Amino acid sequence: MAYDIDMIRKVYENMPSKVEAARKLIGRPLTLTEKILYSHLHAEQKTENFERGKSYVDFSPDRVAMQDATAQMALLQFMQSGRPKVAVPSTVHCDHLITAKNGAGEDLAFAKNESKEVFDFLGSVSNKYGIGFWKPGAGIIHQVVLENYAFPGGMMIGTDSHTVNAGGLGMIAIGVGGADACDVMAGLAWELKMPKLIGVKLTGKLSGWTAPKDVILKVAGILTVKGGTDAVVEYFGEGATSMSCTGKGTICNMGAEIGATTSTFGYDDSMSRYLKATGRADVAALADKVKEHLTADAEVYADPKKYFDQVIEIDLSTLEPHVNGPFTPDLATPISKLKEAAIANGWPTKISVGLLGSCTNSSYEDISRAVSLAKQVSSKNLKAKSEYLINPGSEQIRFTIKRDGFLDVFDQIGAKVFTNACGPCIGMWDRMGAEKQEKNTIIHSFNRNFAKRADGNPNTYAFVASPEIVTAMAIAGDLTFNPLTDFLTNEKGEKVKLDAPSGDELPTKGFAVEDAGFQAPAADGSKVTINVSPTSKRLQLLDPFSAWEGIDLKGLKLLIKAKGKCTTDHISMAGPWLKFRGHLDNISNNMLIGAVNAFNEKTDSVKNQLTGAYESVPKVQRDYKAKAIGSIVVGDENYGEGSSREHAAMEPRHLGVRAVLVKSFARIHETNLKKQGMLGLTFADKADYNKIQENDSIDIIGLTSFAPGKQLTLVFNHDDGSKDEIKVNHSYNAQQIEWYKAGGALNIIRANVKA
């Protein structure tokens, strides 16, 4: 029986009437996205025809999922809420704090010892507050959620941007910061701007070398890293129904790379097959009874331009495999053009490492298709030219592929199998020689490829592709190799061509596992104690942020004017810093150290206006904080792109930054800033970015009459005595303004629980 089956049954029982009510209210057929959103409105939310991209709406998600790095801060905040137990089904997954280095057994043992304090903390908090706990080695959060918790028509949030993976099972699943998770676990409404709708019609059918991954690589090239901002991408058409459930998950997963709120597919036979294969025939049976409500109304898909804000059409029969990168996941190149692009751009063509796995591509189907290529190494007398590394998605996947002999095949080509965890995908890769910062190329089936992300080396050119293309390229060892057309020379000097990959959607013998790694919470958690040492370097209990003083902010120092791409990786790096995700003060020592200072083109080097010296960003900010001087951070377009990590908002807040002013925000980061009581502002005129000078002191005027839709005024006081005055915009609604005034949303939650 599935986890939380009573909750799922209730969702399906209520869905038909809620969908019908929404259809009557709006007066037209509904998309799948609208059906799920309107059937999950919070009980106190007045139902109306919400305006896409403008209306803020309160929802009631069905569940919450947290990975171990972000769970620490989410649960530290929840502990302050005063609630004895979570209000909705919630889980914690230990997948981020495991460094990939020597192989699964050795790496897992090391992580359990190195992060014992954190794992014990997460386990005890989960035990106390009614949260399901997945131990280190159990698997990557999104694969485990897909295998155990996702269900068609449901709504969930998760403290990781790739929560959207669950769209592969027909959910509306959205990545959030820990404060949002805290709200929902505390039984409060969850607020979201009503998303715009992008429809992607898939015609034809995948075949040969083309995989589901190529669909999202193509879409990323069309929409770019911010083209999906504030939108849900809904896939449909014969191409969608012909695809596997886990293939759909891959597409939804990388929707985070186009900035989409989430992506989803309608319920179909592939989802039913997957539910049954993963021990959830009871969920499939319930879904079958309401399946008309688990996809869009027929009229929508018949005339999509009438119902979606944007429609993209892709013919899977003619779609080429793509390789995206380097340094950004939206630089899309068809495989037939890759050699030309590599030579023209001077990309290193020798592939040093191929990496298979991550939450994006670690399903049984992915690995079975990759192994069909690995088998050809011996059968065609080849030798793999690149190092090949694998991260299985879950213990269930690992156990099953071991049983089916796949790991033996990989072993024969010299592959190394890491722990069932994120590993290199999130920078938890202790790569030998990376400190030399040599120029090199890697190719992986991950979702992100920002500079320095995988191994910390800014000169590692990382390319994103399907597991099939990654495997073929690792065998060839050359970025200019096109497996669709090119031949390889084998050990006998013969010219041989790789056969197209093949594999099973699901294991013919069924999935198997001895110990999945799940720990159920205590029936009564009141007796469970949680200890956090005051001298711990890994964990730190939170103190509430202070409330707004009730006055305009004047004399703020410019901390940094960031130039170009500034993702959450630039604002709060992962990799070795992950170990401090539960200690706000310690992890604040990485604040903005990856951002490029517009005035000197350097990273982690900003002018301390008190001394005139150029120093580390956190050091300068701590100096300002010690002297009770506020500051402001200025950024470029799509500021905060990437991960959902709220540390990128909490660190500036903790160190005394008062406002972040940018050309545009990524959705999750802007929300995280608001939740933490920080001002997130955008230029009314983007050209005003150029008016900010290095020695500026800045005043923010209009806060005493802070109101939705009302601009604020900023005054840049230059060191030559001159000044510039500009208007800035914000997207705060009335409730979010109250968060700001209270010093953060958590302060309001705590006050309400005590009341």
Side-chain angles (χ1 to χ4, degrees):
M1 181 180 286
Y3 291 100
D4 309 306
I5 190 66
D6 291 338
M7 176 270 286
I8 296 171
R9 185 178 289 111
K10 186 175 179 182
V11 170
Y12 287 156
E13 285 174 353
N14 294 330
M15 197 167 194
S17 61
K18 290 183 176 181
V19 169
E20 183 56 35
R23 195 183 287 117
K24 282 184 179 178
L25 175 74
I26 298 176
R28 59 165 173 78
L30 300 178
T31 63
L32 169 64
T33 302
E34 290 169 320
K35 288 181 180 182
I36 299 175
L37 291 177
Y38 275 91
S39 64
H40 283 85
L41 294 177
H42 190 266
E44 296 178 11
Q45 172 65 58
K46 181 184 176 184
T47 306
E48 57 186 79
N49 189 355
F50 302 109
E51 188 175 357
R52 297 178 193 167
K54 291 192 176 178
S55 299
Y56 282 93
V57 186
D58 285 343
F59 293 99
S60 291
D62 300 312
R63 66 178 315 111
V64 174
M66 297 162 280
Q67 40 93 335
D68 50 353
T70 51
Q72 295 171 64
M73 200 57 68
L75 294 177
L76 284 165
Q77 291 176 86
F78 180 77
M79 288 166 64
Q80 289 191 329
S81 73
R83 281 195 60 107
K85 191 174 183 180
V86 291
V88 300
S90 304
T91 52
V92 168
H93 304 258
C94 297
D95 63 355
H96 273 55
L97 299 177
I98 303 168
T99 301
K101 183 178 183 181
N102 298 314
E106 193 174 328
D107 293 346
L108 181 58
F110 180 83
K112 285 181 175 179
N113 180 61
E114 181 190 43
S115 295
K116 183 179 187 302
E117 179 184 15
V118 173
F119 294 144
D120 287 350
F121 167 76
L122 293 174
S124 62
V125 174
S126 298
N127 205 23
K128 183 175 183 66
Y129 293 108
I131 299 168
F133 182 68
W134 290 82
K135 303 172 188 175
I140 305 172
I141 175 173
H142 312 303
Q143 180 68 27
V144 174
V145 165
L146 198 71
E147 291 176 358
N148 295 278
Y149 299 113
F151 66 98
M155 184 182 195
M156 69 174 286
I157 61 171
T159 60
D160 190 284
S161 54
H162 294 105
T163 299
V164 295
N165 188 79
L169 250 175
M171 292 195 89
I172 290 293
I174 300 174
V176 299
D180 278 359
C182 180
D183 283 1
V184 175
M185 290 190 293
L188 303 180
W190 176 64
E191 183 187 73
L192 177 73
K193 187 189 292 184
M194 196 67 173
K196 294 173 285 186
L197 300 178
I198 298 174
V200 179
K201 182 178 182 180
L202 302 178
T203 61
K205 189 175 182 179
L206 294 170
S207 63
W209 284 91
T210 311
K213 182 67 160 257
D214 297 306
V215 176
I216 187 58
L217 295 178
K218 174 74 171 178
V219 169
I222 294 169
L223 290 176
T224 77
V225 290
K226 63 177 184 175
T229 303
D230 288 334
V232 171
V233 183
E234 186 171 322
Y235 292 85
F236 61 94
E238 61 180 353
T241 55
S242 70
M243 202 180 295
S244 69
C245 175
T246 52
K248 293 178 173 72
T250 290
I251 292 169
C252 292
N253 182 296
M254 262 195 80
E257 273 47 76
I258 57 171
T261 300
T262 192
S263 306
T264 195
F265 286 78
Y267 179 62
D268 61 17
D269 289 343
S270 73
M271 295 185 191
S272 177
R273 290 193 298 272
Y274 187 73
L275 286 167
K276 292 170 184 173
T278 51
R280 292 173 288 170
D282 46 356
V283 177
L286 290 171
D288 287 341
K289 293 178 182 178
V290 293
K291 61 183 178 182
E292 67 185 282
H293 304 299
L294 301 177
T295 189
D297 291 332
E299 299 93 329
V300 172
Y301 293 159
D303 189 8
K305 290 182 180 177
K306 192 173 174 182
Y307 301 95
F308 291 96
D309 298 292
Q310 180 180 354
V311 176
I312 297 168
E313 188 165 335
I314 297 174
D315 180 2
L316 302 185
S317 300
T318 60
L319 179 65
E320 266 192 81
H322 277 61
V323 177
N324 286 25
F327 305 126
T328 185
D330 61 350
L331 182 55
T333 307
I335 193 77
S336 63
K337 307 286 188 196
L338 186 61
K339 180 177 181 179
E340 177 187 335
I343 293 170
N345 290 288
W347 299 335
T349 56
K350 179 185 177 183
I351 296 173
S352 54
V353 189
L355 302 103
L356 173 66
S358 90
C359 63
T360 329
N361 279 111
S362 54
S363 69
Y364 186 88
E365 181 181 41
D366 290 331
I367 295 173
S368 69
R369 284 173 64 83
V371 88
S372 74
L373 294 167
K375 286 177 180 177
Q376 296 178 50
V377 172
S378 60
S379 68
K380 295 181 186 291
N381 295 305
L382 292 163
K383 185 175 181 180
K385 299 290 179 61
S386 305
E387 190 179 0
Y388 191 72
L389 308 174
I390 303 168
N391 279 86
S394 69
E395 175 57 16
Q396 179 168 268
I397 292 290
R398 189 210 63 80
F399 191 93
T400 304
I401 63 173
K402 179 176 174 57
R403 179 203 66 190
D404 292 349
F406 293 177
L407 293 185
D408 293 335
V409 176
F410 286 131
D411 185 60
Q412 289 166 16
I413 68 167
K416 182 180 288 185
V417 179
F418 288 137
T419 313
N420 314 317
C422 301
C425 182
I426 58 162
M428 292 295 281
W429 181 19
D430 188 355
R431 185 184 182 190
M432 188 177 295
E435 72 283 352
K436 298 176 185 175
Q437 299 197 354
E438 293 173 339
K439 193 173 180 180
N440 75 106
T441 283
I442 65 173
I443 187 165
H444 58 59
S445 66
F446 308 161
N447 37 47
R448 292 199 175 127
N449 59 342
F450 304 142
K452 300 196 282 188
R453 181 172 174 89
D455 62 1
N457 179 3
N459 298 313
T460 292
Y461 287 59
F463 294 85
V464 182
S466 68
E468 297 90 327
I469 294 297
V470 168
T471 306
M473 297 292 234
I475 292 170
D478 193 328
L479 193 64
T480 66
F481 174 68
N482 181 351
L484 284 70
T485 59
D486 296 350
F487 286 79
L488 296 169
T489 302
N490 69 10
E491 297 290 279
K492 295 181 178 180
E494 301 165 332
K495 295 287 186 182
V496 295
K497 194 166 181 285
L498 293 174
D499 300 324
S502 61
D504 294 321
E505 174 186 332
L506 296 162
T508 55
K509 298 178 185 176
F511 285 108
V513 68
E514 286 183 349
D515 179 6
F518 177 70
Q519 172 187 293
D524 178 10
S526 62
K527 304 284 194 302
V528 178
T529 58
I530 301 165
N531 296 314
V532 174
S533 169
T535 60
S536 171
K537 294 181 179 179
R538 299 288 300 271
L539 296 165
Q540 179 187 47
L541 295 176
L542 294 175
D543 292 320
F545 289 133
S546 57
W548 172 56
E549 303 91 330
I551 57 175
D552 289 339
L553 303 178
K554 296 185 178 181
L556 304 178
K557 299 297 184 185
L558 174 67
L559 176 61
I560 186 172
K561 180 179 174 181
K563 179 182 177 181
K565 188 184 279 281
C566 193
T567 71
T568 48
D569 273 9
H570 295 86
I571 305 168
S572 175
M573 287 185 178
W577 290 95
L578 280 174
K579 66 177 64 175
F580 300 118
R581 286 280 181 88
H583 197 295
L584 182 55
D585 193 59
N586 282 347
I587 198 169
S588 293
N589 288 322
N590 79 359
M591 184 189 73
L592 285 159
I593 62 175
V596 176
N597 181 358
F599 296 109
N600 61 9
E601 302 282 336
K602 295 180 179 180
T603 58
D604 202 24
S605 174
V606 295
K607 190 173 186 179
N608 184 331
Q609 291 192 36
L610 302 180
T611 65
Y614 284 87
E615 298 172 308
S616 167
V617 184
K619 185 176 187 304
V620 172
Q621 184 55 40
R622 287 187 185 278
D623 201 3
Y624 293 159
K625 181 179 181 179
K627 296 174 176 61
I629 299 170
S631 65
I632 184 168
V633 168
V634 175
D636 215 318
E637 296 279 10
N638 206 29
Y639 183 88
E641 169 194 345
S643 167
S644 68
R645 70 190 64 148
E646 67 188 328
H647 299 75
M650 295 185 78
E651 291 172 31
R653 181 76 167 98
H654 171 66
L655 292 184
V657 175
R658 300 304 301 268
V660 179
L661 170 65
V662 300
K663 293 179 182 177
S664 64
F665 281 110
R667 176 189 64 84
I668 299 176
H669 186 64
E670 182 177 25
T671 300
N672 285 344
L673 289 170
K674 292 176 179 179
K675 284 281 183 177
Q676 301 302 335
M678 178 82 86
L679 279 175
L681 309 172
T682 55
F683 292 99
D685 180 354
K686 292 180 181 180
D688 288 340
Y689 171 91
N690 299 318
K691 294 178 179 176
I692 300 172
Q693 298 177 19
E694 190 171 28
N695 295 318
D696 281 355
S697 286
I698 301 165
D699 303 332
I700 302 177
I701 310 299
L703 289 174
T704 53
S705 55
F706 195 12
K710 185 178 180 181
Q711 291 181 318
L712 296 173
T713 299
L714 263 66
V715 181
F716 304 141
N717 300 291
H718 308 310
D719 61 353
D720 64 359
S722 65
K723 62 178 62 179
D724 280 298
E725 187 172 299
I726 69 166
K727 295 293 184 182
V728 296
N729 298 327
H730 66 84
S731 61
Y732 288 72
N733 60 27
Q735 176 176 280
Q736 292 167 347
I737 289 172
E738 292 307 308
W739 297 346
Y740 173 71
K741 290 179 177 178
L746 186 58
N747 290 347
I748 293 177
I749 294 174
R750 189 187 304 103
N752 288 341
V753 170
K754 287 180 179 177

